[in-house]
Amino acid sequence: MSAPPSEQSFAGSVASPGLALGPIRLHVTAAAASAIPQRTPAEERKALEAAITAARARLTELAEVSDPMAAEILTVQIAFLEDSELAAPALAAITGGESAMAAWRAAMNEQIAGYQESDNAYFRARAVDMIDLRDRVADGLASKTTAPPPPTDAILVAEDLPPSRFLETDWSCYRGAVLMQGSAASHVSMLARARGIPMLIGLDADLSALADGAAAVLDAEGGCLIQHPAAATLDRCRQRLARLQADATADAAFLNKPAVTADGTRVQVCLNVDDPAALESIDPAACNGIGLTRSEFLFFGDTGLPDEETQFQTYLRLLAWADGKPVTVRTLDAGGDKPIAGLTPDQETNPFLGQRGLRLSLARPEVFRVQLRALARAAARGPLKVMVPMVTVPAELNRTRALFQEVAKDLLAEGFEARMPSLGMMVEVPAAALAIATFDADFYSIGSNDLVQYVTAASRDNAAVADLYDPLNPAVIELIERVVSHGAATGREVSLCGDMAAEPKFLAPLLNAGLRVLSVASASLAQTKAAVARCTLSESG
Ligand code: PEP
Ligand code: MG
């Protein structure tokens, strides 16, 4: 009898947190079929055209049932397939005697290499969309009609996963996903986070080291995939899962109650919105409104920058959902880890310290004005608040206010309903936190994700310096207290909307620093309210 395979652990970066246990399901695309043509060039040509048409039809179907952000990604893929330039080199090679499969793959591989070699992180991340198109059409050519039966509670492992494959995956069959590649800028990491699917990217392993069907633990908390887990590892994992499940059930009881500490202090808990589609499953009664809307989702599609009407309608939908509760929209925070093609600079040596957030908006007033106009129109229709990211000096806030007032005045002159909303600022830059009293903002929202990285000089997405990226660093807490005191002294609201707000172990320090308004992702709403209920301020200080 052969010995059972021994446990193997592979490190990866956490793209979406969580823990899962299940068999590995390797996602392997159709291998290239024979390079020898089986048909006449005319038949090979017809086969390629039919496969392209079928792939386009499938993507169109998918776009129709997807949320707006995902649909935009798919629309760009469809546009590629509709462009006759895409297939032209393959068709020429077929005329020269190659098989449709070999010609198509060679032509697409050349395009993909161009994207992968780009200096621009955004274009590199788009290579995955082209790989998806290559494989979809290749699958059609190979007449791959017999898909394997859906797995049960498996961990999906793939080289990379384009958004379209993510969207058409039935995630009820999977407990999590692991990608050999992936990037922080990839849409798929964002989609996984928005849907609460645990995901690791950049696994330190070769796909061939993993076995389809092997038992595995996906630890998207510690950042590793464990193949063939030993009995003790499985036990620990099952215990942790049982604890997580019991905690989630207990926390759910707090979802629809006001958040009040054990000693009676009321805390407002608002929602962070990255993707409005996620709001469909949430009752607005469970929160105190929207504390942060990352408006980048409007700009991530590849179909160009969103026009005023598109933005206006989106902001109105948020107001309608909130049903009278305040909705805070953050103006575009492009740059850093969120490049936007055609907008963010390409060659910055340190994008986190470059032209991101409000710096970029002020440098591109023709883009900023469109967003401010849409926001001023929406503000006339409900309790909208607007805040600006990455503010460093008061002049930036003052320029924003002046531009906003000008835009609102123009709109009124043009006969639109418009209003200048309450204008707040995110506190993410240490210089702004230190000199907070010099900023004439209507409210302040502390962006701890960035504040911590700038105070500790430790990147928020680099596991190698994760121990230095400490939200409880005394310097961070001192800055938070400073902002809260200034808010209290001037009667202005101070909230905190970084991930720190959703981590129960940070709650007591935040409440003891005087914070009374938190904003968290929807998946953390119940847990945060439950943590508030367990907190006793007088004891935890
Ligand atoms: C933050 O920095 O804490 C924040 C909420 O903004 P983002 O995570 O979008 O940079
Ligand atoms: Mg930030």
Side-chain angles (χ1 to χ4, degrees):
M1 208 171 86
S2 61
S6 45
E7 179 172 303
Q8 294 168 295
S9 181
F10 305 98
S13 306
V14 175
S16 175
L19 179 67
L21 170 61
I24 287 176
R25 166 53 70 93
L26 292 180
H27 173 84
V28 184
T29 54
S34 163
I36 303 161
Q38 309 289 317
R39 302 163 275 215
T40 65
E43 285 167 344
E44 292 286 332
R45 183 188 176 97
K46 241 173 143 176
L48 178 57
E49 285 166 349
I52 291 174
T53 305
R56 205 172 61 207
R58 178 71 191 113
L59 289 171
T60 307
E61 259 172 42
L62 208 54
E64 278 161 10
V65 295
S66 299
D67 58 63
M69 182 183 80
E72 283 207 35
I73 301 166
L74 296 168
T75 304
V76 173
Q77 286 190 296
I78 294 165
F80 268 120
L81 286 179
E82 281 169 350
D83 183 353
S84 56
E85 294 282 301
L86 186 78
L91 292 172
I94 290 172
T95 309
E98 280 194 42
S99 73
M101 178 68 91
W104 170 253
R105 290 185 69 88
M108 288 301 285
N109 284 343
E110 199 169 309
Q111 296 236 18
I112 291 161
Y115 278 91
Q116 285 171 332
E117 283 157 17
S118 168
D119 291 336
N120 181 315
Y122 176 82
F123 286 117
R124 281 198 304 280
R126 296 288 69 71
V128 75
D129 297 337
M130 299 304 283
I131 291 170
D132 180 43
L133 293 183
R134 179 196 66 196
D135 293 342
R136 273 176 189 281
V137 174
D139 283 356
L141 279 171
S143 305
K144 204 170 151 266
T145 47
T146 47
T152 315
D153 297 337
I155 295 169
L156 180 74
V157 179
E159 196 57 44
D160 207 343
L161 200 60
S164 60
R165 297 269 178 190
F166 181 98
L167 292 165
E168 68 185 0
T169 298
D170 177 0
W171 287 101
S172 66
C173 300
Y174 294 100
R175 292 184 171 177
V178 178
L179 305 182
M180 300 295 127
Q181 299 184 17
S183 79
S186 92
H187 289 298
V188 112
S189 302
M190 220 166 63
L191 292 170
R193 281 196 294 275
R195 286 159 179 75
I197 296 164
M199 184 183 277
L200 287 180
I201 56 171
L203 199 74
D204 189 14
D206 206 83
L207 204 55
S208 59
L210 301 170
D212 195 53
V217 170
L218 165 58
D219 182 354
E221 289 173 337
C224 66
L225 177 76
I226 303 169
Q227 181 172 238
H228 308 307
T233 308
L234 277 175
D235 273 358
R236 271 199 307 278
C237 175
R238 289 200 179 101
Q239 282 166 20
R240 265 169 72 200
L241 279 169
R243 269 202 305 275
L244 289 174
Q245 187 51 51
D247 288 352
T249 307
D251 291 349
F254 291 87
L255 187 61
N256 292 313
K257 297 182 187 160
V260 184
T261 62
D263 50 354
T265 300
R266 190 82 171 241
V267 177
Q268 289 189 46
V269 185
C270 304
L271 265 192
N272 288 353
V273 178
D274 297 325
D275 172 7
L279 291 176
E280 281 161 27
S281 55
I282 306 163
D283 182 350
C287 69
N288 295 94
I290 296 177
L292 163 69
T293 306
R294 290 184 166 99
S295 66
E296 297 79 69
F297 70 84
L298 275 161
F299 293 75
F300 278 141
D302 298 349
T303 49
L305 303 177
D307 63 17
E308 179 182 322
E309 194 59 28
T310 305
Q311 294 197 46
F312 173 58
Q313 292 300 336
T314 304
Y315 304 142
L316 283 190
R317 277 201 296 281
L318 294 175
L319 287 168
W321 174 86
D323 198 21
K325 293 186 173 169
V327 170
T328 309
V329 175
R330 175 178 76 185
T331 62
L332 181 63
D333 186 22
D337 59 341
K338 294 172 245 170
I340 292 178
L343 189 60
T344 43
D346 271 355
Q347 306 277 4
E348 289 184 315
T349 50
N350 193 339
F352 276 114
L353 299 184
Q355 212 174 33
R356 69 170 283 206
L358 185 62
R359 301 166 182 191
L360 184 65
S361 292
L362 289 171
R364 297 291 300 271
E366 76 287 4
V367 176
F368 199 22
R369 268 174 186 278
V370 175
Q371 184 166 38
L372 295 182
R373 279 176 66 95
L375 288 166
R377 286 173 61 194
R381 304 276 287 270
L384 189 82
K385 296 160 76 177
V386 175
M387 64 185 181
V388 282
M390 281 295 291
V391 181
T392 310
V393 292
E396 294 169 308
L397 187 65
N398 299 341
R399 278 177 67 196
T400 304
R401 193 182 290 281
L403 196 60
F404 223 153
Q405 279 161 343
E406 195 183 300
V407 153
K409 206 167 126 209
D410 289 350
L411 282 165
L412 292 173
E414 291 166 34
F416 286 100
E417 265 189 283
R419 194 175 68 84
M420 171 75 199
S422 164
L423 179 64
M425 64 181 266
M426 291 197 69
V427 184
E428 300 173 289
V429 177
L434 282 163
I436 195 68
T438 62
F439 291 86
D440 188 17
D442 297 327
F443 63 96
Y444 305 97
S445 183
I446 299 171
S448 54
N449 300 340
D450 279 311
L451 184 63
V452 174
Q453 81 164 341
Y454 294 133
V455 169
T456 61
S459 177
R460 61 193 267 185
D461 56 5
N462 185 343
V465 291
D467 55 340
L468 291 174
Y469 182 94
D470 177 12
L472 293 186
N473 183 304
V476 174
I477 299 297
E478 194 176 318
L479 290 181
I480 292 173
E481 284 169 351
R482 193 180 183 98
V483 177
V484 172
S485 309
H486 174 66
T490 55
R492 296 169 192 185
E493 182 187 272
V494 177
S495 61
L496 187 139
C497 62
D499 291 356
M500 188 182 178
E503 174 51 69
K505 70 174 183 247
F506 298 142
L507 188 67
L510 291 181
L511 297 184
N512 285 320
L515 273 166
R516 295 293 177 266
V517 186
L518 305 172
S519 194
V520 300
S522 58
S524 303
L525 197 54
Q527 186 193 44
T528 304
K529 291 173 108 178
V532 169
R534 284 194 300 271
C535 195
T536 303
L537 293 185
S538 45
E539 282 175 9
S540 52

